Amino acid sequence: MIGKIQEKRQEAYLGGGEKRIASQHKKGKLTARERIDLLLDKGSFREYDTFVQHQCVDFGMQDQHITGDGVVTGYGTINGRLVYLFSQDFTAFGGSLSKMHAQKICKIMDQAVLVGAPVIGLNDSGGARIQEGVDSLAGYADIFQRNVDASGVVPQISVIMGPCAGGAVYSPALTDFTLMVKDTSYLFVTGPEVIKAVTNEEVTQEDLGGAKAHTVKSGVAHLAFENDVEALAKVREFIDFLPLSNRHEIPVRPTDDPVDRLDPVLDTIVPADSSKAYDIKDVITRICDDNTFFEIMPDYAKNMVIGFSRLGGETVGIVANQPLVSSGVLDINSSIKAARFVRFLDAFNIPIITFVDVPGFLPGVQQEHGGIIKHGAKLLYAFAEATTPKITVITRKAYGGAYDVMSSKHLKGDMNYSWPTGEIAVMGAKGAVEIIFRHVKDKREAEAEYISKFANPLPAAQRGYVDDIILPSTTRKTLIQDLKMLKTKDRQPPAKKHGNIPL
């Protein structure tokens, strides 16, 4: 019996066999087990359900069995920290999802929630196993339900490393972060053939659902990488920023970067001419530990910058307007991008650091008809709802309703600061003067008066809307002091089943 067990185990390790493994390699893709070996710490993987096989007896499937049924599941560690994962095996039935395949995935998701550990899905599947009919569809729904149940409890990361089509796409869409591999991964509800048959449009898989389509155009995916090896290495780096669950403290990484480090360059980084741009990423990296910043969605809605960094060794989430792109204006895409990120940070009690340089919301018929009111309200709702520590730094412009939305004091911001270059007003000086002094021919004197009265941080500071006006060079020191003070923050929202965010 022991010999038979070992034989079955070896069959499971081979998946669909040597020929299919060679075919996988020829496409520039690793196998399911090779991916696990690269992702996890050496020797840490503990596999579940190695011997599982499908139970289907229709369409000749009773004579086709591959031990493991197209997915490898279990747990292991990344940099010594526990994670659960599944890795779909395209060499076995094309990684298609059967009832038993889904059951294996559901088992590790249930246990991840039970013990409090992230779930990482390495997706490489041809979709539902047609021969199993409704059982396959039920399997997808079982996974979707667990995605929802785990949301906000444990971090969920999907890595798309091959095809992911039809109903299968909704599991990654429900997870917190979706990463893709360029040229070998695809995400779409209906493929090119169906689209051509229904709408007569011709499109390639890559243009329809490749990494560029989803990281630049749709915003469905958060990051894209050149190959499997780079993607898995980045997941190892990324997971270090995240707490294991909503019950765990945020991770701490020791640093030699002094907590009281001053940076005089920041005192002159914002141009004196408010119409001139600067790169907010330079501000972020100069303030954070070791000048590091792990950016999320860098190629989508570039007027908004989001990502993870550390201050005093502890993880923080960064949300910032980007003056280099459209002056950092808020629009539909940037609002959606930032809102989902803010809600993730709040779910896991990761402090939110917001850098504000925003001239307002983007005007235009397309924006209005596209629902900028509803989508902008998502970001407002996300900030207002968040009970995690919230610290805001106004670096320059904070105009109109966008000032309110960007984690202002009025949305229960814990600490709100302005640099001396801050301009907190209903609108810019030129626009305001055109309205207030529309009958005055020479508006230069009026513009100077408006700037001295409103386009500076003093009026807001005098009303307590910003807690202090700080020198930019002291920002790092100030933020770390505040984060230490806010560690025991405990704000409970009003009792209710849940709010009704404007989706």
Side-chain angles (χ1 to χ4, degrees):
M1 191 63 189
I2 292 174
K4 187 176 182 181
I5 291 170
Q6 286 300 104
E7 184 183 334
K8 281 289 184 184
R9 196 180 297 276
Q10 287 304 313
E11 285 179 12
Y13 290 165
L14 278 175
E18 297 286 0
K19 285 186 178 180
R20 289 175 181 170
I21 289 173
S23 176
Q24 183 88 338
H25 288 162
K26 194 173 181 180
K27 296 174 187 174
K29 297 162 64 176
L30 299 175
T31 66
R33 292 181 182 277
E34 288 169 342
R35 288 165 177 164
I36 291 172
D37 288 343
L38 279 177
L39 178 61
L40 298 181
D41 298 336
K42 189 174 181 180
S44 71
F45 181 52
R46 176 68 185 275
E47 185 174 354
Y48 286 4
D49 295 330
T50 308
F51 305 108
V52 162
Q53 294 181 338
H54 70 76
Q55 309 297 309
C56 182
V57 294
D58 295 317
F59 306 104
M61 288 300 289
Q62 68 273 16
D63 300 320
Q64 301 179 51
H65 288 283
I66 296 177
T67 305
D69 205 31
V71 65
V72 184
T73 62
Y75 69 84
T77 60
I78 296 178
N79 299 321
R81 303 171 73 227
L82 179 66
V83 298
Y84 282 79
L85 80 163
F86 66 86
S87 182
Q88 292 180 314
D89 184 357
F90 197 77
T91 71
F93 302 119
S96 60
L97 188 131
S98 68
K99 177 183 177 181
M100 298 307 296
H101 181 125
Q103 185 174 297
K104 289 179 68 173
I105 293 173
C106 290
K107 183 185 285 189
I108 63 106
M109 293 182 74
D110 288 341
Q111 191 150 19
V113 171
L114 187 68
V115 304
V119 176
I120 302 172
L122 307 182
N123 294 266
D124 189 358
S125 168
R129 195 169 300 170
I130 299 170
Q131 294 91 333
E132 294 210 9
V134 72
D135 275 346
S136 180
L137 300 180
Y140 275 126
D142 289 340
I143 295 171
F144 300 158
Q145 182 63 57
R146 282 161 176 80
N147 287 135
V148 174
D149 290 343
S151 182
V153 180
V154 296
Q156 299 179 80
I157 300 171
S158 296
V159 190
I160 314 302
M161 310 189 84
C164 186
V169 300
Y170 289 108
S171 179
L174 289 168
T175 60
D176 299 308
F177 299 98
T178 301
L179 318 181
M180 297 185 74
V181 178
K182 295 176 183 177
D183 301 322
T184 59
S185 66
Y186 310 101
L187 273 168
F188 40 68
V189 177
T190 53
E193 295 84 2
V194 176
I195 288 175
K196 185 177 181 182
V198 175
T199 69
N200 208 30
E201 295 174 286
E202 292 192 12
V203 64
T204 64
Q205 281 191 331
E206 181 64 29
D207 288 341
L208 178 64
K212 185 176 180 181
H214 287 310
T215 55
V216 177
K217 297 177 182 178
S218 74
V220 166
H222 296 78
L223 292 165
F225 304 105
E226 295 297 328
N227 51 53
D228 285 11
V229 175
E230 184 190 8
L232 296 167
K234 283 296 183 180
V235 172
R236 285 182 61 87
E237 179 185 347
F238 178 35
I239 204 79
D240 264 2
F241 286 100
L242 308 181
L244 295 178
S245 75
N246 63 356
R247 308 194 301 269
H248 288 81
E249 295 292 322
I250 57 176
V252 177
R253 172 179 283 186
T255 177
D256 294 326
D257 198 346
V259 296
D260 57 353
R261 171 173 58 82
L262 303 180
D263 191 341
V265 172
L266 290 172
D267 290 333
T268 55
I269 202 166
V270 177
D273 184 349
S274 64
S275 65
K276 290 186 177 179
Y278 62 97
D279 192 346
I280 198 65
K281 294 180 194 177
D282 291 339
V283 173
I284 295 166
T285 53
R286 285 188 165 275
I287 290 170
C288 294
D289 290 356
D290 306 308
N291 306 118
T292 57
F293 178 52
F294 193 96
E295 188 173 0
I296 302 295
M297 301 182 81
D299 299 316
Y300 180 77
K302 293 183 179 181
N303 44 324
M304 180 69 77
V305 173
I306 61 173
F308 293 95
S309 193
R310 297 181 180 91
L311 282 168
E314 297 192 357
T315 298
V316 294
I318 306 289
V319 179
N321 306 112
Q322 174 57 289
L324 275 183
V325 181
S326 304
S327 301
V329 70
L330 283 178
D331 59 10
I332 291 170
N333 290 346
S334 63
S335 297
I336 294 170
K337 171 181 173 177
R340 183 123 194 263
F341 186 62
V342 166
R343 285 172 66 81
F344 172 83
L345 297 174
D346 185 47
F348 293 96
N349 212 40
I350 299 171
I352 305 169
I353 311 296
T354 306
F355 293 98
V356 181
D357 188 347
V358 60
F361 283 93
L362 181 64
V365 174
Q366 186 176 1
Q367 286 288 307
E368 295 293 346
H369 290 180
I372 184 61
I373 296 171
K374 175 177 66 179
H375 297 300
K378 290 176 183 174
L379 183 55
L380 190 160
Y381 192 105
F383 272 126
E385 179 189 46
T387 58
T388 192
K390 296 184 289 189
I391 306 175
T392 302
V393 180
I394 297 170
T395 59
R396 189 165 61 181
K397 297 173 185 173
Y399 290 168
Y403 152 71
D404 288 327
V405 169
M406 290 297 294
S407 196
S408 64
K409 177 62 73 176
H410 322 286
L411 301 185
K412 296 184 179 178
D414 295 301
M415 299 302 297
N416 293 68
Y417 298 106
S418 178
W419 286 359
T421 47
E423 303 174 15
I424 306 166
V426 175
M427 61 175 64
K430 286 186 178 180
V433 166
E434 287 294 332
I435 295 171
I436 299 171
F437 300 99
R438 57 185 175 274
H439 300 304
V440 178
K441 287 185 179 180
D442 188 354
K443 296 182 175 61
R444 284 175 296 181
E445 188 177 330
E447 190 173 325
E449 181 186 357
Y450 183 88
I451 291 171
S452 66
K453 282 189 175 182
F454 299 110
N456 66 77
L458 275 173
Q462 289 164 349
R463 290 162 174 79
Y465 299 154
V466 295
D467 297 296
D468 199 0
I469 302 170
I470 61 172
L471 287 175
S473 56
T474 67
T475 304
R476 172 179 168 80
K477 177 182 176 182
T478 302
L479 293 179
I480 292 174
Q481 286 176 338
D482 287 345
L483 288 170
K484 187 176 181 181
M485 175 270 293
L486 289 165
K487 280 186 78 69
T488 54
K489 175 185 175 182
D490 184 17
R491 171 174 282 151
Q492 299 299 324
K496 55 184 172 181
K497 186 174 182 181
H498 61 73
N500 187 17
I501 186 170
L503 295 174

